Amino acid sequence: MTHPDVEPEFDELGIKPLVHGIPDLPRASQTAALARRIRREGIRGHDGTEIVQFDDAGAAMLAYPWAYPAQVAAQLSAPQAVSVQAGTLYYVTGLALTTRVMPPYHNSRARSKLEIPAADASGHVSFPWPVRDVRPDPHDDHRLLITAHDLDALAAAAQATAERVEGMQSDLKEALRREGVEEQVLMAPARFELLHGALDDNLAWLTFDGGSRATIAQGFLADAVDAILGMGKNMAPKRRRGLEELGVHLRGRVAGLLARDPVAERDLRDELERLVHQPAAELVANGLYGAQRALVIPARALVAFRPHRGTVLDATQQLIGNAHKRGPKQWDTAATAVDTRDEVLRKLDNDGLISESELYLLGPAFEEAYTRLGITDNPDFRIGELVRFFHDQDPLSDTVRTVTREVLRLGRLMPAQRAKVISGAILEQVREADAKRRQNIESGLDELLAHPPFFNADVWWPSRDPDVSALLAEAGEELENGNQVWYGPAMTELAVKGGLALAILGPLWRIYGETDATLRLYNLLPRMVKDSFGQELLAEGIRALRAGKDHIAARDPETCELIYDAAGAPLPMDATNLRKLFPSAAKAVKKAQPTEADFLRAILSRLKDGVSSDLGALEELPAVRLRGISPSSDLLEALALFEDYRDRLKFLERKHRQYYAENPALPLDDDDEDEAVSGAAQ
């Protein structure tokens, strides 16, 4: 049935009528009268007690965004209230002009998908991080304080966030174009502070409940400004410049902070009014009907705050959590994860329970921990610290779990929920990965982190950053000493850091549709760490991650040797290849027993170019670690070139002789050989 107030072309597309029309802009005298009343009377509770008083700037800011100031004035005598654990929020409702609010560039939906830039020359990471950038204003209980490095950094962050929001919210964008913003948007007053530079006006209204709707609405208005300027209308140069600047600020999503030009706003409004009389088919073709529905948004604006157990930031975060973490409009898991991590770090930092280096290392600006605070930049170190911190091996673990449970509003915090938080933080270290690769990495991290030894380990390693070869040697010694439960400290550290490295690099990805439980990642990783060759692959994963590589080399399931492509380059290892190397719990790796000639060729290939640094690689060859070496004239001739390394190689020779004294090489039938290899692997 066709709506009588909607053109047929609109009705077919589900375009709703202009519920709020195209309201005229308030006269300056109306806004000023509202500001004077706010300045004179402040905000009072229902019991008549004064909650907050405003100075001239604060009163003018509260009065500024409203399309109908008189409507808001009537509410100030008895504002609505909502109580949360942190305190009581007092707010008024009305239509706010979209040009006079600022969408937050700390949007949790977008932040988990933004590329984190490298630290600049000063060691600063220019990334929208609310733990560092958003605090309660120490001068006003009801206001937020937003800090930015400089105006360029603020504008760049707002622009990047807006582009990401529009790219990922295509369904919401189309709905807002057709319907406008229907539900009230939570707004909070904010004071902006630049560490370098100054703002002409540093107070603005911040949309604070995700920010996507206001972000998209301002994009519609920016499109309308571009269309108006492209029409070639006869306009005074000053007015054209004003409209151009308004369009730039709307496109950059900083209009509420930087745009203060009512003339340009009126020009935009008048053009939107004129479009009402345009043919519907034309508006459908150019899409400008979205701008008509974006001029105003219904808003619920915070005007006062009475604290109970927290600050206004705690209170607004609790409101957001009610809607997006446990409510009807839940964020995706990545957004929930980074928002939860940030809230936990903020609360612990406010209580003085973590150091600045821990705060930065575990957050998205982790390179500041490297550049400014002297923390090691090995990526596996940060990965290990995240696991220690959010699972159960840090001295603060009990407190961290309690705070995480409070942030997520849960009665019980399960390992899988902690795993999501950790994997979301680890993904910040994955750069230049397409969406599909990131999805595979995330699913692999989630599965591994939800199982031992990432939590409930009987022993754990201290906070440290060992050399990979040293860690491998420690883990190998634990294995040789009969530690068949993989919870020795070195084996655990190798499994955690190496396993998550391989989850990032690809071998420890899930294979969807896999029905064999023995091939699930949490069963595959224990087999690797309880096998000497598996330990070497875990160490290789750590080295590759430290070197900035995106893969490790594939291995032949029969010989464990490298697999090369037609051009002679090693093939990358994938999830299928790794599963063939460790196919079952009873038979971890099917290793072909190398002959002595094969073994000597491997040694000589390492030494033939006269590169003494290859000795470390030689010692890590699977066969060398197992059997030592055997002397030959060729090898002794090579040793003459490496006098300094004779003792180390002689040790491997003695190990070889001992091996063959205890394990005499006897001819075997094919069946017997398979059985012997399987037994050796176990």
Side-chain angles (χ1 to χ4, degrees):
M1 176 175 163
T2 303
H3 193 285
D5 297 330
V6 181
E7 296 284 350
E9 292 90 343
F10 283 178
D11 197 63
E12 289 179 5
L13 297 176
I15 299 172
K16 293 187 177 181
L18 287 166
V19 178
H20 307 298
I22 306 290
D24 201 357
L25 296 187
R27 295 192 302 274
S29 59
Q30 294 175 308
T31 301
L34 176 59
R36 287 194 299 272
R37 174 172 177 169
I38 295 169
R39 178 73 175 88
R40 182 177 62 253
E41 300 179 6
I43 303 295
R44 296 182 178 275
H46 294 125
D47 57 1
T49 59
E50 182 180 281
I51 303 171
V52 62
Q53 274 288 350
F54 296 90
D55 58 16
D56 290 338
M61 181 253 197
L62 195 155
Y64 177 63
W66 304 109
Y68 301 108
Q71 181 190 39
V72 173
Q75 301 178 58
L76 293 175
S77 300
Q80 300 177 62
V82 59
S83 288
V84 293
Q85 195 174 34
T88 301
L89 296 155
Y90 297 86
Y91 61 91
V92 297
T93 61
L95 289 179
L97 292 160
T98 308
T99 54
R100 298 185 178 183
V101 301
M102 182 168 174
Y105 55 94
H106 304 98
N107 188 323
S108 293
R109 278 193 176 101
R111 197 167 70 249
S112 63
K113 297 171 179 63
L114 291 176
E115 182 178 348
I116 302 174
D120 61 21
S122 66
H124 174 75
V125 175
S126 183
F127 185 77
W129 186 29
V131 176
R132 177 190 59 200
D133 303 335
V134 183
R135 303 190 301 277
D137 192 333
H139 305 303
D140 292 280
D141 286 342
H142 69 287
R143 196 162 63 191
L144 302 171
L145 175 62
I146 313 294
T147 305
H149 192 254
D150 53 33
L151 186 56
D152 289 342
L154 186 154
Q159 180 73 50
T161 300
E163 291 174 355
R164 180 59 66 176
V165 166
E166 289 198 322
M168 63 188 287
Q169 297 275 45
S170 57
D171 291 342
L172 176 62
K173 185 175 181 178
E174 185 54 37
L176 293 178
R177 189 191 302 276
R178 291 183 288 103
E179 303 167 2
V181 178
E182 295 181 320
E183 299 179 19
Q184 291 175 344
V185 174
L186 176 64
M187 300 197 315
R191 178 167 65 90
F192 284 76
E193 186 178 85
L194 301 179
L195 300 181
H196 302 280
L199 294 164
D200 294 335
D201 193 330
N202 65 351
L203 298 179
W205 281 100
L206 193 71
T207 58
F208 210 71
D209 57 347
S212 298
R213 289 177 290 169
T215 296
I216 293 170
Q218 286 196 350
F220 291 154
L221 295 180
D223 292 339
V225 171
D226 291 344
I228 294 167
L229 293 172
M231 292 176 184
K233 295 178 66 69
N234 190 14
M235 191 180 299
K238 183 177 180 180
R239 296 185 69 170
R240 177 172 286 274
R241 282 197 302 273
L243 196 58
E244 288 174 346
E245 289 181 4
L246 177 61
V248 169
H249 294 322
L250 285 168
R251 184 71 67 195
R253 275 55 169 199
V254 291
L257 178 65
L258 300 182
R260 292 289 192 275
D261 189 344
V263 175
E265 288 178 321
R266 189 168 298 280
D267 286 337
L268 172 59
R269 182 262 167 206
D270 290 346
E271 286 298 324
L272 295 178
E273 170 70 23
R274 186 184 64 80
L275 290 175
V276 173
H277 308 289
Q278 294 289 99
E282 184 176 329
L283 290 177
V284 169
N286 59 31
L288 290 180
Y289 60 86
Q292 293 177 304
R293 288 153 180 78
L295 182 61
V296 291
I297 55 176
R300 179 173 57 152
L302 169 65
V303 296
F305 174 70
R306 179 175 284 167
H308 298 161
R309 294 178 53 191
T311 67
V312 66
L313 181 56
D314 297 317
T316 52
Q317 287 291 343
Q318 286 169 9
L319 287 180
I320 291 171
N322 289 343
H324 297 301
K325 289 185 179 176
R326 64 172 185 170
K329 299 181 177 180
Q330 293 193 8
W331 287 326
D332 60 66
T333 56
T336 299
V338 298
D339 190 81
T340 300
R341 185 274 313 274
D342 288 347
E343 279 296 287
V344 171
L345 292 180
R346 180 177 67 82
K347 290 176 181 294
L348 295 174
D349 182 50
N350 289 343
D351 293 341
L353 296 177
I354 57 175
S355 65
E356 184 183 20
S357 60
E358 289 176 305
L359 176 69
Y360 276 89
L361 179 68
L362 303 178
F366 52 87
E367 284 202 5
E368 289 201 36
Y370 307 156
T371 56
R372 295 197 300 107
L373 304 172
I375 304 299
T376 174
D377 62 355
N378 285 329
D380 56 290
F381 176 75
R382 178 177 184 261
I383 288 171
E385 293 304 285
L386 282 164
V387 175
R388 286 167 46 82
F389 189 79
F390 281 100
H391 266 320
D392 57 5
Q393 301 298 339
D394 191 88
L396 274 177
S397 290
D398 290 342
T399 303
V400 172
R401 286 199 302 275
T402 299
V403 174
T404 305
R405 189 174 65 250
E406 291 175 355
V407 170
L408 290 173
R409 311 290 291 274
L410 297 171
R412 183 182 180 189
L413 187 65
M414 302 299 291
Q417 293 159 331
R418 300 198 303 266
K420 288 285 187 183
V421 176
I422 300 169
S423 64
I426 292 174
L427 277 170
E428 293 169 336
Q429 298 175 230
V430 180
R431 295 173 174 169
E432 300 178 3
D434 59 34
K436 180 63 175 176
R437 180 176 174 84
R438 292 184 72 89
Q439 181 181 357
N440 287 330
I441 293 171
E442 183 176 5
S443 64
L445 293 174
D446 287 346
E447 182 170 317
L448 287 171
L449 287 162
H451 293 84
F454 298 91
F455 64 95
N456 285 351
D458 294 332
V459 295
W460 202 253
W461 74 90
S463 178
R464 64 177 193 158
D465 182 42
D467 178 77
V468 181
S469 296
L471 175 60
L472 180 61
E474 292 176 19
E477 184 176 350
E478 288 180 358
L479 186 63
E480 290 177 1
N481 289 338
N483 188 1
Q484 293 305 308
V485 291
W486 67 328
Y487 300 138
M491 292 174 69
T492 301
E493 183 173 2
L494 181 64
V496 168
K497 293 182 176 180
L500 296 182
L502 292 182
I504 293 173
L505 298 172
L508 280 176
W509 285 359
R510 291 177 59 185
I511 295 181
Y512 292 95
E514 177 61 65
T515 58
D516 186 350
T518 64
L519 297 180
R520 296 300 296 267
L521 302 183
Y522 51 83
N523 289 321
L524 185 60
L525 184 58
R527 297 204 293 275
M528 293 182 66
V529 80
K530 288 189 284 188
D531 179 89
S532 59
F533 180 62
Q535 289 188 352
E536 291 169 14
L537 290 181
L538 293 170
E540 186 178 343
I542 297 174
R543 291 192 185 96
L545 198 65
R546 289 186 178 186
K549 299 178 180 178
D550 62 359
H551 68 277
I552 65 171
R555 303 300 180 100
D556 187 301
E558 298 295 327
T559 65
C560 300
E561 297 294 330
L562 296 178
I563 303 176
Y564 297 92
D565 61 17
L571 290 173
M573 182 181 290
D574 60 15
T576 300
N577 181 227
L578 184 62
R579 282 163 172 79
K580 290 180 179 178
L581 288 167
F582 298 89
S584 69
K587 188 176 179 182
V589 183
K590 184 180 180 181
K591 297 179 180 178
Q593 189 79 355
T595 66
E596 196 166 344
D598 292 335
F599 185 57
L600 287 174
R601 280 196 297 270
I603 293 174
L604 292 174
S605 68
R606 293 289 183 180
L607 298 176
K608 64 181 180 181
D609 295 328
V611 182
S612 60
S613 61
D614 278 348
L615 180 59
L618 166 66
E619 290 175 324
E620 292 176 12
L621 286 173
V624 176
R625 292 177 57 80
L626 179 65
R627 298 167 46 191
I629 65 170
S630 177
S632 73
S633 57
D634 291 337
L635 179 59
L636 294 176
E637 182 179 345
L639 284 176
L641 301 174
F642 306 108
E643 192 69 30
D644 294 339
Y645 302 98
R646 181 183 296 274
D647 291 341
R648 291 169 66 185
L649 287 168
K650 285 294 185 182
F651 168 77
L652 297 177
E653 177 192 340
R654 289 194 298 273
K655 187 173 182 181
H656 168 90
R657 289 176 175 169
Q658 180 182 1
Y659 176 89
Y660 277 100
E662 298 172 354
N663 302 275
L666 298 174
L668 296 175
D669 295 328
D670 290 343
D671 293 339
D672 293 334
E673 184 175 2
D674 287 341
E675 183 179 350
V677 172
S678 175
Q682 295 182 55

